[in-house]
Amino acid sequence: MEKEIGARLRNARESKGMSLEQVQETTKIKTRYLHAIEENDFNVLPGKFYTRAFIREYASAVGIDPEQMMEEHKDEMPSFEKEGAAQYKSVQSSSKEPAAKRGNINKYLPTVMTFVLIIGILFVAYIFIMDGNNDLGSGAAEQEASSNDISVPEPSEAADSESTPVSSESSGEESADDEEDTNKEQSGEEGSSSSEKENPSGNDQESESFEISLAEKGTGNFPQHTYNISTAEEKSLTIELKGTAYLEIQGEETGENLISPIEYSPADSPVKVDVSDKKQVFIKTGNALGTIVKINGEQIDFQTQQATQKLLLNFK
């Protein structure tokens, strides 16, 4: 059977009087991808998974039941079997190398541990011997000093008379120091209480200046979720990836691409996007379960379990 899915979609679009640009506005899929679908040139699309997702989205936009159409044209859809087999082989080859390296390490581990143990024992013995020599030397020095000292007792009356004024002076100084410390503590408490009165809320104002709320939860096979974000701070958008994902990020005001619409891998993570001057940002991903979207460090959740999902962020 000749391929008919592209022609069927094109005929449905033309019967509704829609241009490719209008379909792009509805689906957020680039016109060159839409044209490739109509020509059945699936090699132009970013991957087999995205081919199926784009065809479903196109069908919904032109009034065709996506699931029914996919079932009727299932023989024309690209298969995942070869792609999965290639990935499995790559995982097997990568897992063999660490196993071989671990075998070499385990072979020499007992020798290394024995060597380290011997060094430790010698170090402890050296420390013990050095401490013993130091104790002997200090004991001999103390004996020699005590044998050379001559104690000369002083009259007890003179000692008492001299010690009395000294103790009175020291007690006076101690009382003055205590009084000064008390004054410092009181002034410090007053200062801290006054600062608490001036700013009783602490960091509450800063936390209240940033708020994320879900305005609309999307539905369907390619749901779009809308969030309203209120922030007085400078906005920063970060995308973290746990797996390979096709990403498309646009400034909705102008429709410009903020990053290249391609597949990104965990090696590219995190993907940082400048949205400081944007009032609206549109995000599309083909692996929502492995994609983490953060605004100013706060995560924006995808609301469903579909792989392909969209986010529309409105900044206020």
Side-chain angles (χ1 to χ4, degrees):
M1 178 187 294
E2 295 183 359
K3 294 185 177 180
E4 300 178 354
I5 189 168
R8 181 177 178 181
L9 291 171
R10 181 172 59 251
N11 292 335
R13 172 179 62 80
E14 292 174 349
S15 66
K16 286 183 170 291
M18 297 177 66
S19 64
L20 285 177
E21 288 72 17
Q22 290 175 319
V23 177
Q24 176 191 358
E25 185 177 352
T26 302
T27 63
K28 306 301 180 183
I29 301 173
K30 295 294 185 182
T31 54
R32 66 189 185 94
Y33 293 153
L34 297 174
H35 181 72
I37 291 172
E38 290 185 353
E39 297 297 327
N40 297 301
D41 187 9
F42 300 146
N43 293 329
V44 175
L45 302 180
K48 297 175 182 178
F49 176 82
Y50 303 103
T51 300
R52 293 172 173 267
F54 288 175
I55 291 174
R56 283 192 178 95
E57 192 72 8
Y58 191 158
S60 297
V62 296
I64 299 176
D65 183 353
E67 299 306 324
Q68 181 180 353
M69 187 191 67
M70 296 296 286
E71 179 64 24
E72 292 175 356
H73 297 273
K74 60 184 179 180
D75 294 337
E76 301 178 32
M77 293 295 99
S79 173
F80 292 98
E81 294 180 358
K82 293 182 180 180
E83 195 171 62
Q87 292 177 353
Y88 178 73
K89 289 181 180 179
S90 64
V91 169
Q92 278 190 325
S93 60
S94 61
S95 62
K96 289 179 181 178
E97 293 181 0
K101 293 181 179 178
R102 286 196 298 270
N104 292 334
I105 294 174
N106 292 335
K107 180 179 179 181
Y108 297 103
L109 186 59
T111 304
V112 173
M113 291 182 65
T114 303
F115 180 75
V116 172
L117 181 62
I118 293 172
I119 295 298
I121 293 173
L122 293 176
F123 179 75
V124 171
Y126 173 77
I127 296 297
F128 180 77
I129 293 171
M130 293 301 295
D131 287 343
N133 291 337
N134 290 337
D135 291 340
L136 291 175
S138 61
E142 288 175 359
Q143 272 190 345
E144 184 177 356
S146 62
S147 63
N148 293 331
D149 290 342
I150 300 176
S151 61
V152 179
E154 296 181 358
S156 59
E157 294 179 354
D160 293 339
S161 62
E162 290 176 1
S163 62
T164 301
V166 172
S167 62
S168 62
E169 289 177 2
S170 62
S171 62
E173 291 176 356
E174 289 176 357
S175 62
D177 291 340
D178 293 340
E179 184 177 355
E180 183 179 355
D181 292 340
T182 303
N183 293 334
K184 288 181 178 178
E185 290 176 359
Q186 291 177 350
S187 63
E189 292 175 356
E190 292 176 358
S192 62
S193 63
S194 63
S195 64
E196 290 175 358
K197 291 178 181 178
E198 291 175 0
N199 187 17
S201 61
N203 294 327
D204 290 344
Q205 294 178 352
E206 183 178 354
S207 61
E208 291 175 358
S209 65
F210 184 71
E211 183 179 356
I212 301 175
S213 60
L214 176 64
E216 182 181 355
K217 180 179 177 180
T219 58
N221 296 316
F222 206 165
Q224 175 176 308
H225 317 295
T226 302
Y227 282 88
N228 293 332
I229 302 173
S230 175
T231 177
E233 305 174 1
E234 184 176 348
K235 304 182 291 291
S236 64
L237 170 60
T238 305
I239 310 291
E240 298 178 2
L241 298 172
K242 296 181 180 179
T244 300
Y246 173 81
L247 286 179
E248 219 176 282
I249 303 178
Q250 298 176 344
E252 189 65 14
E253 294 175 295
T254 59
E256 62 175 326
N257 283 324
L258 303 183
I259 63 171
S260 299
I262 58 174
E263 283 189 342
Y264 292 84
S265 68
D268 303 315
S269 180
V271 179
K272 297 183 179 180
V273 186
D274 182 13
V275 296
S276 56
D277 60 341
K278 306 300 178 187
K279 293 184 179 180
Q280 198 175 56
V281 174
F282 179 80
I283 302 171
K284 180 192 298 183
T285 178
N287 183 11
L289 303 182
T291 303
I292 300 174
V293 178
K294 291 184 178 180
I295 296 291
N296 291 0
E298 293 293 330
Q299 183 170 341
I300 309 295
D301 294 329
F302 289 99
Q303 296 294 319
T304 62
Q305 295 299 312
Q306 280 91 341
T308 53
Q309 298 188 52
K310 296 173 282 190
L311 293 176
L312 180 62
L313 309 181
N314 297 315
F315 296 102
K316 299 182 179 180

